[in-house]
Amino acid sequence: MLRINDILDKAQAYLAAEELEMIQKAYIYSATVHQGQVRLSGEPYLTHPMEVAGVLVDMKMDSATIISGLLHDTIEDTLTTKEQIEQEFGKDVAFLVSGLTKLSRISFGSQEERQAENFRKMILAMSADIRILLVRLADRIHNMRTLQYQTLDRRIYIARETMDVYAPLANRLGINWMKMELEDLAFQHVSPDAFKEIATRVDKSQESRNRYTEEVKTIILKELEKLFIQGEVEGRAKHLYGIYKKMHEQHINFDEVYDVIAFRIILDSDIDKTCYEALSIVHALCKPVPGRFKDYIAMPKANNYQSLHTAVIGPYGERVEIQIRTRAMHEWAEKGIAAHWRYKEGRAFQDNEDNQIKKLREALEIQQDIKNPKEFMSNLKMALFPDEVYVFTPHGDVKSFPKGATPIDFAYSIHTDVGNKCTGAKVNRNIVPLRYQLQNGDRVEIITQAGHHPSKDWLKYVVTSRAISKIRNWINLEEKNSSLTLGKDLLEKEFKRNNLKFATYIKSYEIKKVMTEHSLLTLDDLISQVGYGRISPRQVVNHFLVADAPKDAEKLQEKEKKKPSASPSLGISLTGIDDVMVKFAKCCNPIPGDEISGYISRGRGITVHTQTCPHLKRLDAERIVDVNWDVRQKHAYPVHVKVVCNDRKGVITEVSSVITSFDINISFAQVETTDMIANCLFVIDVYDTQQLNSIFSAIRQLKIVRSIERIRKA
Ligand code: MN
């Protein structure tokens, strides 16, 4: 049992003699008023406030806090009044103790309500003085350490509450040791079997782990010494709940948690730069695991935690996680807000409150008038986990999402079908755009419509992996379907042009050869490859022309020769340069009528861009030459066109029939639908800008068309 002298011994290291006297006085007072009371363990009640004060003195808290620890249950459980405490110990202590008392006084009918209301008052009390919360946490630590004397029901109830609220709260305040101890103590009661198993396994491997730890420590220290960097290396087994969480989250068993030991390099230096030096030594010594480096020095965590984190391949090919920090950073990492406290005097802390605490408090004050305990719990969680957003379903259930999530993420979290058919959303009864970012406390309702489909644009607005993969799946399927239709169409035309029947050849043995040549397994794959534009219909038809009608094929080849297709001087004349390979830039696809420039590419002739092409502007000006159209020979050039239409069935047919009425070839067509708008993309072959302009004005005549533009690439 902790004695008052143990507390005083520790306190005299940093407190004045008068303060020690007051602590002694509080001890006597507490012993007197709690006399005769016993805990469930059978020990005198006094042991509890003593242990709480012991935790607080170890955290090097000020005397008022330690005294409040000793007196925290006096108003609640004895005849003592606030006035008496104020008389004996002053305003400060009376204020803290009455704040603590308020926390334990409220009772409600249902367990859930009681829980919610209590926590709410607790956090609100914290807004008056952070020290109240620290005493409350110390109180919880001791209650958890002696939880075995409670009934099973109470044990589980208290342990759950600790896991849900107190451990995250300790974490939020940056008090790492407390967070870990609370988690391990709660874990033991919430999942006793898992706890026992992990504890036994950690215990069993103790000896070999110690040997290994020493080995790694020695290696690192030796290297640090070589560069005259002073510090120490710690290697400790992770806390049991941490191991359990890792096993659970990553679905692995104990032996696969290779980083059971957390290594930590604590440098004597106070300069951040030394940490980076130590990091480079570690990385030079062992191969780093890519993607595992995190710089919490440049970007501290929300609770002000600073460190460098890295993972390297250790001496046995195993993964070793290493944290590197200065002593000051270490102090904060372990003690958090309590470390901060130490440098402040008395109540000065309150005026000088940490930003994080302020934010936490504000978030909760805004929610003060919320009556529904369920809602309050979720509000509390919001304040404790700032990277998550909590929203309500129409039924009042709480769902959590990563920050930045939109109604689309919400829709997919309900059901794939709801996601796919989602056309809009209402947030707090108002219609919002689908790209709206969900805010804490929003009540979200999804509007669906049968027959509606996801669009590629949605990928820009979603953050959950579920939504991303569901949308991708749908798009892939859709693209495959539309490329099948288009591919079939293109092939039929090409066969017909050569007086062949696609339907006949499709069943022939020869078609298999075409498939093998392109390493395709099915006929559908071949057709969709044509639809995607990866294989031209001509390439497919050629197979049959060669096999069936060699004469036709020869003719065809001749025709190809005549056609000024690829190079040289493809309808382009160059001032002062002859006989040069010319090709058109794929980025802007110039056509006669466009103002153009040539770019001399090394070894690949001249690439022709439109003068407005942004790519051209980025190129080396010295290699840009003047070029002109030479349109003696009429030739068709591909142009990418985007037509925005009101979403109606058959928009693509309507637009393409206008295009084909000009006797223009469509080599690619695609439609995407978003928010009742259809974006059609076409690649059409035109002779010049004049022709293109007349096609454009004809398309503009269509009622369904909202806009049309030539784009650089479909
Ligand atoms: Mn207590």
Side-chain angles (χ1 to χ4, degrees):
M1 189 183 128
L2 197 64
R3 293 157 187 277
I4 187 62
N5 280 342
D6 302 327
I7 293 171
L8 291 173
D9 276 352
K10 285 177 183 169
Q12 58 101 15
Y14 68 99
L15 291 178
E18 316 86 85
E19 292 178 300
L20 299 180
E21 261 170 51
M22 282 304 255
I23 293 173
Q24 172 103 31
K25 186 177 161 190
Y27 161 71
I28 294 165
Y29 189 95
S30 187
T32 313
V33 296
H34 283 300
Q35 184 143 44
Q37 296 178 348
V38 281
R39 301 198 84 214
L40 287 175
S41 62
E43 286 178 298
Y45 193 84
L46 185 66
T47 54
H48 171 63
M50 289 285 283
E51 291 290 342
V52 172
V55 170
L56 294 166
V57 78
D58 281 337
M59 289 165 80
K60 298 213 168 64
M61 299 305 298
D62 70 342
S63 59
T65 313
I66 296 168
I67 293 168
S68 303
L70 287 168
L71 303 177
H72 78 270
D73 282 331
T74 55
I75 298 182
E76 181 64 18
D77 294 341
T78 76
L79 296 171
T80 306
T81 63
K82 186 184 173 188
E83 289 67 34
Q84 284 168 348
I85 290 183
E86 187 170 332
Q87 219 168 17
E88 299 290 328
F89 302 97
K91 261 196 165 146
D92 200 14
V93 172
F95 175 75
L96 297 179
V97 176
S98 81
L100 282 154
T101 307
K102 279 183 206 146
L103 300 186
S104 51
R105 277 225 172 131
I106 309 112
S107 64
F108 276 90
S110 85
Q111 212 172 48
E112 192 178 37
E113 276 177 13
R114 181 186 152 82
Q115 209 180 2
E117 193 56 26
N118 265 340
F119 295 142
R120 175 171 155 195
K121 294 285 173 187
M122 177 188 78
I123 304 297
L124 291 176
M126 182 198 79
S127 72
D129 196 313
I130 185 74
R131 290 175 297 178
I132 295 174
L133 184 65
L134 292 170
V135 178
R136 182 69 171 157
L137 283 169
D139 180 29
R140 179 52 61 120
I141 278 269
H142 185 242
N143 284 336
M144 285 304 292
R145 284 176 186 165
T146 51
L147 197 61
Q148 67 272 29
Y149 302 107
Q150 298 280 355
T151 62
L152 183 65
D153 278 2
R154 286 290 296 160
R155 280 204 305 255
I156 290 173
Y157 173 80
I158 295 169
R160 288 237 164 89
E161 188 184 74
T162 301
M163 200 65 114
D164 288 346
V165 177
Y166 289 93
L169 210 43
N171 180 45
R172 197 75 182 87
L173 301 180
I175 312 169
N176 191 42
W177 73 267
M178 204 179 242
K179 173 207 163 214
M180 294 202 300
E181 185 172 346
L182 287 173
E183 278 181 349
D184 271 356
L185 288 167
F187 176 37
Q188 189 176 346
H189 294 282
V190 173
S191 324
D193 293 342
F195 176 86
K196 254 176 243 153
E197 198 203 322
I198 295 175
T200 317
R201 283 174 156 240
V202 168
D203 221 38
K204 252 193 207 159
S205 51
Q206 179 85 42
E207 204 178 306
S208 66
R209 210 171 51 239
N210 285 348
R211 241 181 294 124
Y212 170 78
T213 308
E214 282 311 312
E215 187 180 346
V216 173
K217 271 162 81 171
T218 316
I219 299 173
I220 296 175
L221 275 175
K222 223 170 88 191
E223 287 302 308
L224 288 177
E225 270 163 28
K226 278 190 202 159
L227 280 135
F228 306 105
I229 295 179
Q230 305 282 322
E232 59 174 309
V233 179
E234 273 182 1
R236 258 195 287 189
K238 277 200 175 139
H239 74 304
L240 302 177
Y241 183 67
I243 297 171
Y244 171 76
K245 224 167 83 180
K246 191 153 196 168
M247 287 165 61
H248 215 73
E249 278 168 7
Q250 301 179 6
H251 304 287
I252 52 180
N253 53 44
F254 183 83
D255 304 313
E256 289 170 288
V257 186
Y258 26 64
D259 50 350
V260 166
I261 306 167
F263 284 93
R264 192 173 285 159
I265 304 175
I266 301 159
L267 301 165
D268 291 347
S269 160
D270 249 356
I271 307 161
D272 293 357
K273 213 183 94 196
T274 322
C275 296
Y276 295 98
E277 281 167 10
L279 177 77
S280 64
I281 291 169
V282 169
H283 281 179
L285 192 66
C286 309
K287 199 169 164 262
V289 179
R292 294 307 304 265
F293 172 64
K294 289 207 183 78
D295 186 347
Y296 293 119
I297 292 181
M299 296 272 288
K301 281 192 190 177
N303 63 14
N304 267 336
Y305 171 90
Q306 286 190 302
S307 264
L308 298 178
H309 287 192
T310 188
V312 297
I313 308 294
Y316 303 99
E318 77 290 9
R319 187 140 90 171
V320 185
E321 310 254 340
I322 299 175
Q323 303 169 349
I324 303 169
R325 51 174 81 144
T326 64
R327 226 163 254 295
M329 292 173 194
H330 182 59
E331 178 100 330
W332 179 271
E334 285 303 305
K335 296 174 185 154
I337 197 84
H340 184 76
W341 171 259
R342 279 219 284 151
Y343 304 109
K344 308 279 175 191
E345 281 192 355
R347 303 206 55 158
F349 183 83
Q350 213 186 325
D351 313 318
N352 238 324
E353 218 172 33
D354 198 79
N355 243 345
Q356 289 306 324
I357 303 298
K358 219 178 244 167
K359 264 191 247 155
L360 179 60
R361 200 185 69 198
E362 279 165 7
L364 286 151
E365 274 172 357
I366 296 166
Q367 310 296 346
Q368 222 167 354
D369 53 330
I370 289 172
K371 292 284 176 299
N372 181 349
K374 225 178 179 182
E375 254 175 66
F376 175 72
M377 281 311 284
S378 92
N379 286 324
L380 179 58
K381 278 185 174 162
M382 281 172 214
L384 299 179
F385 305 103
D387 298 332
E388 285 173 35
V389 171
Y390 291 82
V391 299
F392 297 99
T393 68
H395 303 296
D397 292 330
V398 179
K399 275 180 174 280
S400 79
F401 293 92
K403 238 184 188 152
T406 59
I408 308 175
D409 289 298
F410 183 95
Y412 277 104
S413 81
I414 297 172
H415 195 275
T416 309
D417 254 6
V418 177
N420 283 344
K421 289 180 185 143
C422 151
T423 56
K426 278 186 189 171
V427 165
N428 307 326
R429 297 203 181 83
N430 299 316
I431 300 255
V432 294
L434 287 175
R435 58 172 187 280
Y436 170 85
Q437 297 201 347
L438 299 177
Q439 303 295 314
N440 275 324
D442 279 351
R443 192 170 293 271
V444 188
E445 203 180 320
I446 297 297
I447 306 163
T448 59
Q449 199 183 359
H452 194 81
H453 305 306
S455 99
K456 236 180 199 167
D457 280 358
W458 288 9
L459 289 171
K460 288 183 226 153
Y461 310 136
V462 295
V463 294
T464 54
S465 49
R466 182 181 164 84
I468 292 170
S469 75
K470 295 289 178 195
I471 297 169
R472 283 224 178 102
N473 278 351
W474 198 89
I475 289 171
N476 288 343
L477 196 72
E478 185 59 17
E479 275 183 355
K480 197 168 178 197
N481 284 339
S482 66
S483 64
L484 264 176
T485 321
L486 185 66
K488 194 167 169 246
D489 208 43
L490 292 171
L491 282 167
E492 269 168 1
K493 268 192 205 153
E494 191 64 30
F495 272 77
K496 206 171 167 192
R497 199 157 38 199
N498 291 284
N499 296 319
L500 299 174
K501 238 187 163 171
F502 180 55
T504 321
Y505 286 91
I506 211 170
K507 293 176 200 130
S508 70
Y509 176 71
E510 199 68 20
I511 198 92
K512 289 226 167 67
K513 276 200 200 160
V514 187
M515 279 151 51
T516 343
E517 188 174 297
H518 294 282
S519 330
L520 297 168
L521 292 174
T522 67
L523 183 64
D524 274 3
D525 287 341
L526 178 66
I527 296 173
S528 65
Q529 288 296 305
V530 173
Y532 280 125
R534 291 181 192 129
I535 299 173
S536 76
R538 168 71 48 81
Q539 271 172 289
V540 180
V541 173
N542 276 353
H543 277 270
F544 301 99
L545 294 176
V546 174
D548 285 13
K551 272 182 197 162
D552 275 2
E554 270 166 33
K555 256 188 217 162
L556 196 84
Q557 273 165 6
E558 259 169 51
K559 217 168 131 194
E560 297 255 357
K561 261 185 213 159
K562 267 190 223 155
K563 224 169 122 190
S565 58
S567 62
S569 68
L570 185 67
I572 294 283
S573 73
L574 300 161
T575 341
I577 310 168
D578 292 322
D579 214 18
V580 165
M581 278 263 288
V582 172
K583 63 175 182 184
F584 291 105
K586 289 232 167 61
C587 47
C588 51
N589 290 301
I591 59 171
D594 285 332
E595 304 269 22
I596 47 172
S597 283
Y599 176 74
I600 307 165
S601 54
R602 292 208 173 94
R604 279 177 289 129
I606 287 180
T607 315
V608 177
H609 291 264
T610 65
Q611 283 180 3
T612 52
C613 176
H615 278 279
L616 186 71
K617 295 194 176 97
R618 271 182 253 131
L619 296 171
D620 182 3
E622 295 204 348
R623 284 155 63 187
I624 291 173
V625 291
D626 283 341
V627 289
N628 292 301
W629 291 104
D630 178 7
V631 283
R632 273 169 301 179
Q633 220 172 18
K634 258 204 167 182
H635 185 77
Y637 303 84
V639 170
H640 297 243
V641 176
K642 182 180 171 187
V643 188
V644 179
C645 303
N646 296 326
D647 182 18
R648 254 181 33 200
K649 258 196 184 154
V651 276
I652 206 152
T653 348
E654 214 166 319
V655 177
S656 45
S657 69
V658 174
I659 298 172
T660 41
S661 74
F662 282 80
D663 202 19
I664 292 291
N665 186 42
I666 301 173
S667 56
F668 176 86
Q670 191 193 325
V671 64
E672 273 177 15
T673 314
T674 13
D675 294 335
M676 309 303 290
I677 286 181
N679 288 309
C680 310
L681 300 171
F682 294 97
V683 180
I684 57 178
D685 296 334
V686 296
Y687 291 117
D688 50 29
T689 47
Q690 211 184 336
Q691 188 184 32
L692 187 66
N693 289 338
S694 35
I695 297 168
F696 271 28
S697 44
I699 291 175
R700 275 199 197 99
Q701 304 282 311
L702 295 173
K703 272 205 192 108
I704 49 156
V705 172
R706 292 188 171 201
S707 70
I708 175 164
E709 60 176 328
R710 181 175 164 196
I711 56 169
R712 290 194 299 107
K713 221 164 184 184

